[in-house]
Amino acid sequence: MTERRSIDPKLSFLAGWFLGRRSRRRSGLGCLVLLVALFAGMSAIASLVSAPLVWNNARQTANLPKPIAAELTSMVPGEQVLTVAKVPADLPIDSHGLAQFRTEIYVEYATDQSSNESSSSGWRLVEPTQARIGMLLPDGTPLLVQLVPQADLLNAETIEALDSTPRIRYVGYLPGQTLALHGIWEGDNLFTAEKLYAGTVDDYLDYQARMPGISLIMALLCGAIALLLLVGGGILRIVGR
């Protein structure tokens, strides 16, 4: 008769503990991958949903009046328009070389214990952009530009302070830059700017026209990543059982 060897109970316990631990690790990793896949899928959906809205905004922006300097000053106040103006080369600058700027601070993820509400990490406005800046229309006519507190400073210069805690950065434009202004003509050489873009009006419209395509590309990329992570996470979950 063939002699059957018994397995040492201690070795059996150690083997079972080791294999079970590896299984739990694979299972935990699978859950993490599936969670990341969920966030990627949500990002894809958000980008896909926003694409038509971005396209409609670009279309409406392209249809706005684009008066030259002489036409702008004769327009009826209160009308939304696109125009272009130049930051004077002799405008006073700050220590970072910016003629106009706003200060932003990086806020880490924090939770309000009293209301159980949380806010995501990101750059937050500390000091608003200058309320009013004297600029020049292409024909040299002075234009007083007032900025809304949350004005979009598109493709602006961004300078982050070194060795600062918390992190601080300054956002603005340089003296002599030509800016496309998207906002409301108030009359009396006063313009309320909601968006500023370093470049001409045509440059700004090209930027707006590209945004829907970028949203679609982001949706496709996030969707592909979500699908790959979903498959990978599923495989890890199966292997971990």
Side-chain angles (χ1 to χ4, degrees):
M1 293 180 63
T2 304
E3 182 180 356
R4 300 182 61 183
R5 296 182 179 178
S6 60
I7 301 176
D8 190 329
K10 292 183 178 180
L11 294 177
S12 177
F13 171 78
L14 290 174
W17 176 83
F18 179 72
L19 293 175
R21 187 177 179 123
R22 291 186 63 186
S23 175
R24 288 193 296 273
R25 284 181 177 177
R26 287 195 296 266
S27 179
L29 180 59
C31 291
L32 178 61
V33 173
L34 290 175
L35 183 62
V36 176
L38 176 62
F39 282 110
M42 294 173 61
S43 298
I45 294 173
S47 298
L48 188 62
V49 171
S50 67
L53 301 177
V54 174
W55 174 82
N56 185 59
N57 178 68
R59 183 179 61 83
Q60 292 180 349
T61 300
N63 292 330
L64 290 176
K66 308 168 191 62
I68 61 175
E71 296 172 339
L72 178 65
T73 55
S74 61
M75 291 188 67
V76 177
E79 189 170 0
Q80 193 170 63
V81 299
L82 297 177
T83 190
V84 65
K86 186 175 182 179
V87 180
D90 58 351
L91 196 68
I93 61 175
D94 68 346
S95 59
H96 307 282
L98 299 177
Q100 50 180 296
F101 70 94
R102 67 183 176 208
T103 304
E104 297 176 340
I105 186 172
Y106 191 82
V107 179
E108 298 290 345
Y109 182 88
T111 302
D112 188 345
Q113 300 294 339
S114 60
S115 61
N116 294 324
E117 293 182 355
S118 61
S119 58
S120 59
S121 302
W123 291 101
R124 306 292 173 82
L125 180 65
V126 177
E127 296 180 10
T129 311
Q130 290 177 243
R132 294 187 175 186
I133 303 105
M135 302 179 69
L136 299 173
L137 292 173
D139 65 353
T141 302
L143 180 69
L144 186 59
V145 179
Q146 62 181 6
L147 309 181
V148 297
Q150 297 294 335
D152 291 333
L153 306 184
L154 304 172
N155 71 345
E157 299 287 333
T158 302
I159 301 174
E160 186 170 348
L162 300 177
D163 302 326
S164 64
T165 304
R167 294 167 59 190
I168 296 176
R169 70 178 184 182
Y170 306 92
V171 184
Y173 298 99
L174 302 174
Q177 276 192 297
T178 296
L179 305 180
L181 307 178
H182 180 175
I184 300 174
W185 169 246
E186 306 288 358
D188 295 329
N189 287 357
L190 178 62
F191 187 92
T192 298
E194 301 168 356
K195 297 180 181 180
L196 296 86
Y197 187 89
T200 65
V201 170
D202 289 338
D203 294 333
Y204 173 66
L205 292 177
D206 288 341
Y207 163 80
Q208 291 286 350
R210 291 193 302 267
M211 295 308 295
I214 293 175
S215 295
L216 287 176
I217 292 174
M218 290 296 297
L220 292 175
L221 287 177
C222 290
I225 293 173
L227 181 60
L228 290 174
L229 291 176
L230 183 63
V231 173
I235 293 174
L236 288 174
R237 288 285 296 172
I238 293 173
V239 172
R241 289 177 181 174

